[in-house]
Amino acid sequence: MIKLLFYLIPILSLFLPSIWVNYVLNKNNRILLNMPFTGNELGKKILQEQRITNVSIVPIRKIDYYNPKEKKIHIGEDKLNKKSITSITVVVHEI
């Protein structure tokens, strides 16, 4: 039993945070009609207010990430133009 715990605890500590984050993001990915902007609109506004002109936000089909060589923020198409907490959270995180 001790050996099992010895292996189980590190494995759980690696995967549980990721599972929790995905759960919370999926839970909050509902369209909010009263939200004044999409993730894309908020991202562009933040970049403009911070005077960051050489970074662009582009859609992608897979994982969200920032590419420092190309100076592009890649955001999933399902989140980019959506008015949801998840959309703005992901865009702001990548910025």
Side-chain angles (χ1 to χ4, degrees):
M1 183 66 175
I2 301 287
K3 283 186 176 183
L4 179 64
L5 285 175
F6 182 75
Y7 292 110
L8 192 59
I9 290 174
I11 290 172
L12 288 176
S13 67
L14 287 173
F15 294 108
L16 280 180
S18 176
I19 292 168
W20 178 253
V21 167
N22 285 328
Y23 166 74
V24 171
L25 289 177
N26 287 331
K27 177 181 163 189
N28 293 297
N29 200 19
R30 296 183 313 267
I31 295 174
L32 302 174
L33 300 176
N34 294 331
M35 185 173 285
F37 41 74
T38 65
N40 191 22
E41 293 166 346
L42 177 63
K44 288 180 179 179
K45 184 162 183 67
I46 290 171
L47 292 173
Q48 180 183 22
E49 286 180 359
Q50 296 299 316
R51 295 184 182 100
I52 302 172
T53 57
N54 59 345
V55 175
S56 61
I57 301 173
V58 295
I60 195 167
R61 292 188 183 173
K62 295 200 178 206
I63 298 175
D64 309 308
Y65 68 97
Y66 172 66
N67 184 333
K69 288 182 181 178
E70 295 180 9
K71 301 228 184 257
K72 291 183 180 179
I73 300 168
H74 298 273
I75 304 294
E77 295 170 342
D78 61 324
K79 293 184 251 3
L80 191 60
N81 295 311
K82 193 173 194 178
K83 292 182 177 184
S84 72
I85 299 293
T86 296
S87 175
I88 62 172
T89 301
V90 169
V91 171
V92 170
H93 168 77
E94 295 304 331
I95 289 175

